[in-house]
Amino acid sequence: MTLTRRTFNRRIVQFATGAVVPPVLLDRCRKPVSAPLNTTSMAAGVKTYINTAIDELTPETELLVPTYLGNDRRRFYGRGVPQSLNLRHQLPLGSGASYLGRSLKIWTGAGWTGQPTIIKDLDKTYAIVGSFDHHLRKLDLATNQVVWQYKFDDILKGSSTVYIDPLASDENRVVVLQGSRRGLKNPIRTPKPVPSFRAISFRTGQELWRLNIRLTRSFSRDNDSSAIDLGNGLLFNVAENGIGYFLNSATATATPKDGIVQPQVFSELQLYQDGDVKRYGGNLVAESSPARLDDRIFLAAGGGRIYGISTLTREVIWQFIAGGDLNGTIAISDENKLFCAVEREKVPGPGGVFKLDPNKPPEEAVEWFFPTANRGFSTWKGGIVGSVALND
């Protein structure tokens, strides 16, 4: 077994505790007692002491930038401004095939909303980078070398999310969640699994599970969104089929289903209404990333709705109808307000940005709206496709 920092720390603390506890036990045994010695509770106390001491030591893994836009409020942009930039190394990200409509095209580089996640593990700093050549890569930032690469069935557009599974073995304890497009060989209506969301071991690059993004009334089965680790064994992921998934974060609970190893799904949420189908057709795509405010998740969905979801009941408890095809991820400010971008599609007036108070009823939630000019680009007619930037 490899001696990791965590294993080393545990052995050191256990050794130190072994030097301290015996005299305590001897002293306890010398004194007259009115009741039998409760060795079970004492063992539990020692175990708690050991675990607390270990937690106070320098962690072996630091999630420096673990998800899209840096944190679960989607508003971390770094720790200061560099005074200059010098090219140290460059890594070609390659090209890969993917469909644009019904035409197969070659895509090159990395795409919106892809950005690296940055993790410090066992005294080294790494970046996780996805690209259009269908690969996810782990890069050693000290040597600029590729540690491993994992191949998907299609291009990768979104950012990964990295979390720690405390119940896993050391080699699988740090987990990378990554989505992709649906796969070149997967027609939208195929009855077979479309596993465009996967979990990969950060340390080994080996696959841990795949999630089938099932067919719905949406015309997409991609996964561009970056998942969120809610803690207490719970993950939340949003796929472009318009479904939000509450998943078990313990990778050991994944089991074979439909020919692939899939995670345990606690529950699902449909993020569109029946009336949205008539208005938007199949464009019910949910591609923004969920943002968290205490025990609520806020998410902009393709059917023009902004959802507030309880992490306790796993149900929608708040809903604001913004209209438009909402693509941007919600940013949450220090004063707990939501900043939401609106594309102009299906909107009679201009697109722009809403500032919303999620603690008020939806009909009273708007603090202001900032309109933008109606300027067309490709198939877009104006408004804002990206996310509002707030500085942490």
Side-chain angles (χ1 to χ4, degrees):
M1 180 181 70
T2 303
L3 186 63
T4 65
R5 179 191 291 179
R6 182 178 179 82
T7 306
F8 176 77
N9 288 343
R10 183 175 294 278
R11 291 180 180 178
I12 287 295
V13 173
Q14 287 171 339
F15 176 81
T17 306
V20 172
V21 172
V24 174
L25 287 172
L26 281 174
D27 184 60
R28 175 70 176 83
C29 292
R30 290 193 188 101
K31 295 179 180 178
V33 294
S34 56
L37 181 65
N38 189 339
T39 56
T40 301
S41 62
M42 184 168 290
V46 171
K47 183 178 180 181
T48 300
Y49 168 78
I50 292 173
N51 289 336
T52 301
I54 291 171
D55 290 341
E56 290 175 353
L57 295 171
T58 302
E60 66 180 4
T61 305
E62 296 179 70
L63 307 181
L64 301 177
V65 183
T67 189
Y68 176 57
L69 299 183
N71 58 29
D72 58 7
R73 289 196 172 204
R74 308 296 180 183
R75 61 189 180 92
F76 177 72
Y77 290 85
R79 297 181 175 87
V81 179
Q83 299 302 308
S84 62
L85 295 174
N86 298 300
L87 179 63
R88 294 174 52 190
H89 182 75
Q90 56 186 357
L91 174 72
L93 294 177
S95 302
S98 193
Y99 281 96
L100 184 62
R102 296 185 178 182
S103 301
L104 195 62
K105 303 289 186 181
I106 299 299
W107 304 54
T108 301
W112 180 73
T113 55
Q115 68 178 56
T117 47
I118 303 175
I119 309 300
K120 186 175 183 181
D121 185 50
L122 304 176
D123 295 323
K124 290 187 176 182
T125 305
Y126 303 92
I128 298 292
V129 182
S131 69
F132 286 160
D133 73 345
H134 300 191
H135 285 91
L136 183 72
R137 292 179 175 86
K138 177 182 178 181
L139 308 179
D140 185 329
L141 294 183
T143 64
N144 300 315
Q145 299 299 307
V146 176
V147 179
W148 54 251
Q149 62 181 23
Y150 172 94
K151 188 175 183 180
F152 282 75
D153 301 330
D154 210 325
I155 68 172
L156 281 63
K157 291 172 64 182
S159 303
S160 64
T161 289
V162 183
Y163 75 97
I164 294 175
D165 177 2
L167 302 178
S169 63
D170 280 341
E171 67 176 6
N172 295 329
R173 187 169 169 265
V174 188
V175 183
V176 183
L177 302 173
Q178 177 70 50
S180 72
R181 300 192 90 179
R182 72 173 187 261
L184 301 183
K185 298 180 180 180
N186 294 325
I188 184 67
R189 305 198 70 82
T190 179
K192 298 179 181 179
V194 175
S196 45
F197 183 64
R198 305 183 185 184
I200 300 150
S201 170
F202 173 86
R203 288 176 174 165
T204 69
Q206 299 299 305
E207 180 183 305
L208 300 173
W209 52 248
R210 304 180 174 196
L211 176 66
N212 174 32
I213 305 303
R214 62 180 177 84
L215 179 65
T216 65
R217 301 181 78 174
S218 169
F219 59 39
S220 178
R221 297 173 75 174
D222 301 348
N223 199 123
D224 279 2
S225 175
S226 296
I228 191 169
D229 176 21
L230 299 173
N232 297 318
L234 194 62
L235 304 172
F236 184 70
N237 179 60
V238 179
E240 291 193 13
N241 61 351
I243 300 296
Y245 297 88
F246 285 97
L247 306 173
N248 192 332
S249 68
T251 57
T253 61
T255 56
K257 181 181 179 182
D258 298 328
I260 56 176
V261 176
Q262 297 199 48
Q264 181 183 4
V265 179
F266 288 128
S267 59
E268 297 181 0
L269 275 180
Q270 180 177 295
L271 299 171
Y272 60 88
Q273 309 300 316
D274 291 341
D276 300 336
V277 180
K278 182 177 180 180
R279 181 171 175 80
Y280 290 87
N283 192 10
L284 305 169
V285 175
E287 52 189 320
S288 68
S289 296
R292 183 181 187 181
L293 176 59
D294 300 324
D295 59 0
R296 291 174 291 172
I297 299 167
F298 290 96
L299 176 79
R305 299 174 189 270
I306 295 169
Y307 291 96
I309 302 165
S310 169
T311 61
L312 305 177
T313 64
R314 304 173 194 166
E315 296 177 344
V316 174
I317 57 173
W318 190 87
Q319 187 178 152
F320 178 83
I321 301 177
D325 177 18
L326 305 182
N327 294 307
T329 291
I330 293 171
I332 303 177
S333 70
D334 272 338
E335 56 179 356
N336 298 333
K337 302 299 171 62
L338 312 182
F339 289 76
C340 316
V342 181
E343 188 191 328
R344 187 169 175 258
E345 182 180 350
K346 307 284 185 189
V347 176
V353 176
F354 277 111
K355 181 184 179 184
L356 304 176
D357 186 343
N359 294 313
K360 292 183 178 180
E363 61 273 14
E364 302 173 9
V366 178
E367 293 203 354
W368 49 252
F369 177 73
F370 177 78
T372 56
N374 295 334
R375 177 177 297 177
F377 175 76
S378 184
T379 60
W380 290 285
K381 298 179 180 179
I384 299 177
V385 179
S387 306
V388 176
L390 299 180
N391 195 335
D392 218 25

